[in-house]
Amino acid sequence: MTEKVRQNAGNNSVIMPTKKAEPKEKLEDRLKRLINSHEVMLFIKGEPDAPRCGFSKTIVGLLKDRNVAFGTFDILTDNEVRQGLKTYSDWQLYPQVYVNGELIGGLDIVKELIENDEFEDTFPKQVPLEERLKILVNKSRVMLFMKGDRTGPKCGFSRQAIDMMNKTGIEYETFDILTDEDVRQGLKDFSEYRTYPQLYVSGELVGGLDIMKEMESAGELIDAVKVDSSVM
């Protein structure tokens, strides 16, 4: 870690006034991004630790019992996604589970896969957390781990980070730590940085919001995230 990271680890900043949001993402593009945000993506009612229907509770339990790493999206928080995904997937019920962006089905399908000994052939084997984190921080050249995503930040700190990144004009991806508690807690130890958001470039931690602000003020943020033409 840089000295700035060490000095600022654990510090929070005063929330600044929000700026104009970027243009709203098309629903189909958003759905594609959501179902591809994790290797295994589960759309349920509620959260994994607090499902809000019996079907959601059952499918979460089945995946956890078989050590499947998965992300989730609570359809009760977004009716546009809830209704749009039914048309997109041509599947009218929830929960819905996707693997590598492809619909597997709902609870009944998962139960059938288990009964027919096809579950392990359908779902990826569990990857050690540290290996998952290495893969995630390198998923894109510039990665921002935050609460929510770039079109819907779920805290003031994440919103400020998105505003700064958008001003750079650099392509970047985000990971919603609220969808995966293992990643949310594990990344704190992996990076030795306890707060979010966290910005990575080429797999290396740049820092959190305070450091991003310092770099922006000094005119250094754009240089930190842009592609180095000397290595192209």
Side-chain angles (χ1 to χ4, degrees):
M1 292 190 293
T2 66
E3 186 59 31
K4 282 186 178 180
V5 172
R6 297 187 186 281
Q7 291 174 354
N8 286 276
N11 291 340
N12 288 326
S13 302
V14 176
I15 297 179
M16 302 290 288
T18 58
K19 299 178 181 179
K20 186 177 179 180
E22 62 179 345
K24 187 174 181 180
E25 190 176 19
K26 292 181 179 179
L27 179 58
E28 184 174 355
D29 292 338
R30 188 177 179 213
L31 296 176
K32 287 180 180 178
R33 179 173 54 78
L34 284 172
I35 67 176
N36 285 283
S37 61
H38 294 74
E39 190 172 13
V40 178
M41 189 65 189
L42 183 61
F43 292 82
I44 61 174
K45 295 179 179 180
E47 302 289 343
D49 294 332
R52 296 180 63 180
C53 79
F55 300 122
S56 295
K57 181 178 181 180
T58 299
I59 198 167
V60 166
L62 292 175
L63 296 184
K64 284 186 173 181
D65 288 345
R66 287 156 183 81
N67 295 317
V68 175
F70 59 94
T72 63
F73 185 91
D74 181 2
I75 60 169
L76 298 179
T77 66
D78 193 316
N79 196 55
E80 188 177 46
V81 170
R82 181 178 183 175
Q83 300 303 326
L85 197 59
K86 293 179 182 180
T87 302
Y88 179 88
S89 64
D90 196 22
W91 190 273
Q92 296 301 302
L93 303 176
Y94 289 99
Q96 293 183 16
V97 61
Y98 294 75
V99 175
N100 294 320
E102 296 294 330
L103 175 67
I104 299 301
L107 177 59
D108 288 341
I109 299 297
V110 172
K111 285 182 174 180
E112 288 180 14
L113 292 171
I114 294 171
E115 292 172 1
N116 296 330
D117 294 324
E118 297 174 348
F119 184 91
E120 291 187 1
D121 294 332
T122 304
F123 286 83
K125 291 181 171 55
Q126 176 75 296
V127 176
L129 180 57
E130 184 172 358
E131 186 175 339
R132 280 191 68 207
L133 296 176
K134 288 179 180 178
I135 292 171
L136 284 173
V137 300
N138 286 282
K139 182 179 179 183
S140 175
R141 195 184 66 82
V142 180
M143 280 292 298
L144 183 65
F145 291 81
M146 57 179 284
K147 294 180 180 179
D149 58 41
R150 62 188 302 169
T151 62
K154 293 185 177 179
C155 78
F157 301 128
S158 294
R159 184 174 295 110
Q160 290 178 70
I162 287 292
D163 286 343
M164 284 188 281
M165 289 304 302
N166 288 343
K167 285 195 297 184
T168 69
I170 299 295
E171 289 295 322
Y172 68 98
E173 290 192 27
T174 61
F175 184 95
D176 181 0
I177 60 170
L178 298 179
T179 68
D180 195 315
E181 188 66 16
D182 287 341
V183 170
R184 180 178 184 175
Q185 299 304 326
L187 196 60
K188 295 177 182 179
D189 295 325
F190 180 84
S191 64
E192 296 183 16
Y193 199 86
R194 309 306 297 174
T195 59
Y196 290 99
Q198 293 184 17
L199 176 66
Y200 291 76
V201 175
S202 299
E204 297 293 329
L205 176 67
V206 173
L209 182 61
D210 287 334
I211 292 176
M212 291 175 67
K213 283 183 174 181
E214 288 181 17
M215 296 178 76
E216 183 184 51
S217 296
E220 298 172 352
L221 184 60
I222 183 66
D223 291 331
V225 297
K226 72 180 181 181
V227 176
D228 185 354
S229 60
S230 66
V231 297
M232 294 183 66

